[in-house]
Amino acid sequence: MAYIPENIIEDILNRTDIVELISSYIPLKRAGRNFKALCPFHQEKTPSFMVSPQKQIYHCFGCQTGGNAISFLMHYEHLSFPEAIELLARKAGINIPKLEISKKEQSYLVYYKINELACNFYQNNLYSNSGREALSYLKSRGIKESTQKQFRLGWALSKWDALTDYLRQKNISVSLLEKLGFVLSKEDGGYYDRFRNRIIFPIFDIKSRVIGFGARLLPKEEISESEQAKYINSPQTPIYTKGEHLYGLNFAKERIIKEDFIIVVEGYFDCIIPYQEGLENIVASLGTAFTEEQAHQIKRYTQNVVMVYDGDSAGELATLRSLDIFLEKELEVRVVGLPKGFDPDLYVRQYGIESFKNLILNSKNLFDYKLEILKSRYDINEPKGKLKISEEILPTIDKFSSPVLKATYIKRLAEELGVNEETLISEMKRFKEKNKTSYLRQVGLSSYNKLDIHPTEKLLIKLMLEEEEIIKRLMQTVSPADFEDERT
């Protein structure tokens, strides 16, 4: 985002009444010189959320959140710093001058424009004569025309250079197309389209900008994976990294906030069909092991995650291990394993959305689900089976931040395995030490020390990591010499 001058930010805050702003979102009651309410950021029965008209700040004594009008909007509306500033500016009737943006930002605008052109091209193909078979297939999968248009589904022609020719006519260079993953180079020179003869699924970021594409063969074209994969996807590009996004989150975010939980499935159709039938707080994982960035995105909207696994993949422990990242981020994780042979798409089409919702309501917590899978794989009555189960599930228990939850699950596991709790606690410590040693070997260190950084310096670093706009502001007022600790 372009830099917004400090004087404009101050003017916006001076012309914003924080009581008026917050009362437009939640009911406030006067409490002496201040106002109080039930905190909108955590569940509580007694009001602990206070707003000060004199200081123009808010603070919750329950969850310790607080700040000014900007931070309230960022937290409540899930906005970035510049987005919150722009919204407050509109409310205050202040025009933010159009400032020059960096070359990098200019490049990104070009990338989004090219992706938008490609998306339109694929969409138009779907409703042309060449797309009739693909359109018929989508209808056979139960996808309504309104849904096709909402998700902007498309069709890549069978020609080797259909998209390349179209975008060249728009004066877009092949080098740019290669950078955005649209073309591949030939061994003997020249280029050809990456996506051909496939149904296209545009992938959007949270602002509904097209950042990448997934592509699926029609059933009659499916052959062995060694020759041609059923699905192919955009590679990593300057605006698309697979592990940083969730398919459909742009459509689902408002319902996720309202329902206060998110449903995560694996595939495009698995997301689209339930969404179409009214289960709108659903996204797809884009086929990757879960990452910190995805967990962070989810945490912006809810603390509660329900994972839905296909009947054929429910026992994949490697996939389950990746869910530990959610526990590290203090998210509540529950899991649904579908009957063998079913995925969410097929299950909803065969049994209906209400039956699928019932599965969601009866989802199991991660500990119970993982233990069930482990017991089906290893003999719990044999010493080796007990060891294998503990090796898999103790790291998961260790990811819980709450000592109460850790103790509860250790006790449950001890009862299941028929061993005492002290043994499991000792084993968990052994695993942690083993993993730490392994990590230190990888980075070439034999020991490490935690940095003892001054709290103020630590806060500044945290703010800079979270908000790019703050980096620009700090660079104008703070120099390296202002830090006490040379390591920062």
Side-chain angles (χ1 to χ4, degrees):
M1 296 292 291
Y3 169 68
I4 302 172
E6 184 69 30
N7 66 306
I8 291 180
I9 294 174
E10 289 179 2
D11 191 21
I12 290 168
L13 286 173
N14 289 336
R15 290 168 65 174
T16 298
D17 181 348
I18 195 168
V19 174
E20 182 181 331
L21 173 71
I22 293 179
S23 64
S24 69
Y25 291 96
I26 60 174
L28 296 177
K29 291 184 179 180
R30 182 169 284 280
R33 291 184 299 174
N34 300 321
F35 291 82
K36 67 179 180 179
L38 291 173
C39 181
F41 305 126
H42 81 286
Q43 296 292 326
E44 63 177 4
K45 295 181 179 179
T46 304
S48 60
F49 183 85
M50 306 298 292
V51 183
S52 170
Q54 286 77 30
K55 297 179 180 179
Q56 287 292 297
I57 61 172
Y58 69 93
H59 181 79
C60 175
F61 292 93
C63 65
Q64 302 303 314
T65 59
N68 59 15
I70 298 170
S71 56
F72 177 83
L73 271 184
M74 289 173 66
H75 199 169
Y76 194 91
E77 293 276 17
H78 305 283
L79 302 176
S80 67
F81 181 83
E83 288 170 339
I85 290 290
E86 288 171 8
L87 180 55
L88 286 175
R90 288 197 298 271
K91 288 178 181 288
I94 297 173
N95 290 320
I96 298 177
K98 290 186 177 179
L99 303 172
E100 294 222 1
I101 61 176
S102 67
K103 288 184 178 180
K104 181 179 180 181
E105 289 169 322
Q106 289 175 352
S107 297
Y108 277 34
L109 292 176
V110 171
Y111 301 153
Y112 292 128
K113 181 181 177 181
I114 294 171
N115 275 2
E116 181 66 23
L117 287 170
C119 185
N120 287 334
F121 177 73
Y122 292 135
Q123 270 191 288
N124 291 334
N125 290 343
L126 182 62
Y127 298 102
S128 69
N129 287 334
S130 60
R132 282 184 298 180
E133 191 175 358
L135 196 58
S136 176
Y137 172 69
L138 290 173
K139 289 178 179 177
S140 74
R141 294 289 297 257
I143 299 181
K144 300 171 185 175
E145 185 175 348
S146 59
T147 306
Q148 295 166 18
K149 291 182 176 177
Q150 180 179 1
F151 284 83
R152 303 185 67 184
L153 305 186
W155 173 246
L157 303 177
S158 59
K159 289 178 60 180
W160 287 91
D161 54 2
L163 179 69
T164 304
D165 284 349
Y166 172 75
L167 292 177
R168 272 177 167 170
Q169 292 171 20
K170 303 287 184 182
N171 297 317
I172 296 168
S173 68
V174 177
S175 62
L176 267 178
L177 297 183
E178 185 176 28
K179 194 170 190 176
L180 292 173
F182 288 115
V183 299
L184 297 167
S185 58
K186 300 177 184 178
E187 290 184 6
D188 57 350
Y191 296 87
Y192 62 94
D193 290 354
R194 178 184 296 272
F195 305 123
R196 304 178 313 282
N197 205 32
R198 291 174 180 266
I199 292 171
I200 296 295
F201 299 85
I203 299 166
F204 307 94
D205 66 9
I206 199 65
K207 296 180 181 179
S208 293
R209 298 175 298 196
V210 182
I211 54 174
F213 298 87
R216 188 200 193 283
L217 287 171
L218 289 177
K220 72 169 191 174
E221 302 293 339
E222 291 176 23
I223 48 182
S224 68
E225 290 187 11
S226 61
E227 295 181 54
Q228 201 169 2
K230 183 192 293 186
Y231 283 94
I232 58 173
N233 302 286
S234 292
Q236 181 165 319
T237 72
I239 58 174
Y240 176 60
T241 301
K242 188 163 57 173
E244 294 182 357
H245 302 277
L246 292 160
Y247 180 74
L249 183 58
N250 58 315
F251 301 122
K253 59 184 179 181
E254 290 182 11
R255 181 61 66 172
I256 292 167
I257 295 169
K258 186 174 181 179
E259 300 292 340
D260 196 23
F261 76 98
I262 184 173
I263 302 160
V264 185
V265 295
E266 295 181 84
Y268 301 113
F269 285 122
D270 297 331
C271 175
I272 292 172
I273 289 294
Y275 181 94
Q276 175 183 271
E277 299 307 311
L279 197 63
E280 296 181 355
N281 53 324
I282 190 167
V283 301
S285 61
L286 292 169
T288 61
F290 289 98
T291 65
E292 286 193 23
E293 178 58 35
Q294 288 173 322
H296 177 71
Q297 280 206 5
I298 288 173
K299 197 170 182 179
R300 290 178 64 188
Y301 303 100
T302 183
Q303 298 286 118
N304 305 298
V305 184
V306 178
M307 301 297 310
V308 183
Y309 284 119
D310 297 355
D312 293 332
S313 64
E316 290 298 318
L317 291 176
T319 309
L320 283 173
R321 287 186 200 112
S322 72
L323 298 187
D324 288 354
I325 191 73
F326 293 130
L327 302 181
E328 291 179 349
K329 297 297 180 182
E330 298 185 338
L331 294 166
E332 175 70 27
V333 185
R334 302 187 68 83
V335 186
V336 173
L338 295 178
K340 190 170 180 61
F342 283 89
D343 55 25
D345 162 36
L346 179 59
Y347 190 92
V348 171
R349 286 190 285 126
Q350 186 157 326
Y351 295 111
I353 194 65
E354 293 306 318
S355 180
F356 188 67
K357 286 180 179 179
N358 192 52
L359 292 179
I360 301 295
L361 289 173
N362 291 288
S363 56
K364 298 178 180 179
N365 67 55
L366 180 57
F367 174 87
D368 288 332
Y369 185 81
K370 194 167 185 177
L371 183 60
E372 183 180 294
I373 295 299
L374 290 166
K375 286 166 68 176
S376 70
R377 179 170 289 196
Y378 304 112
D379 187 348
I380 200 169
N381 296 311
E382 292 292 325
K384 285 186 178 179
K386 295 177 191 288
L387 178 61
K388 286 289 186 182
I389 291 171
S390 64
E391 284 178 339
E392 286 288 348
I393 207 163
L394 283 175
T396 296
I397 294 174
D398 190 47
K399 294 297 189 297
F400 287 100
S401 60
S402 165
V404 174
L405 286 176
K406 281 186 181 182
T408 301
Y409 288 126
I410 284 286
K411 183 177 181 180
R412 288 266 314 277
L413 183 60
E415 291 170 352
E416 289 281 350
L417 298 180
V419 299
N420 61 57
E421 295 173 42
E422 290 73 19
T423 300
L424 292 178
I425 293 170
S426 175
E427 193 73 354
M428 188 158 67
K429 289 179 179 176
R430 187 176 70 84
F431 290 148
K432 287 176 69 172
E433 192 60 37
K434 181 180 177 182
N435 290 336
K436 188 202 301 184
T437 303
S438 175
Y439 169 75
L440 293 174
R441 279 196 191 122
Q442 287 176 22
V443 297
L445 299 173
S446 58
S447 63
Y448 70 94
N449 296 306
K450 292 184 178 179
L451 295 179
D452 183 20
I453 301 174
H454 190 281
T456 303
E457 296 175 358
K458 189 182 294 186
L459 176 60
L460 283 176
I461 293 169
K462 180 177 183 293
L463 290 171
M464 287 190 289
L465 288 171
E466 292 178 348
E467 286 298 332
E468 183 179 350
E469 187 68 28
I470 291 175
I471 297 176
K472 297 173 183 176
R473 294 167 63 186
L474 286 174
M475 285 178 67
Q476 297 178 351
T477 56
V478 179
S479 71
D482 293 319
F483 286 89
E484 294 178 3
D485 194 321
E486 295 180 356
R487 293 170 298 183
T488 58

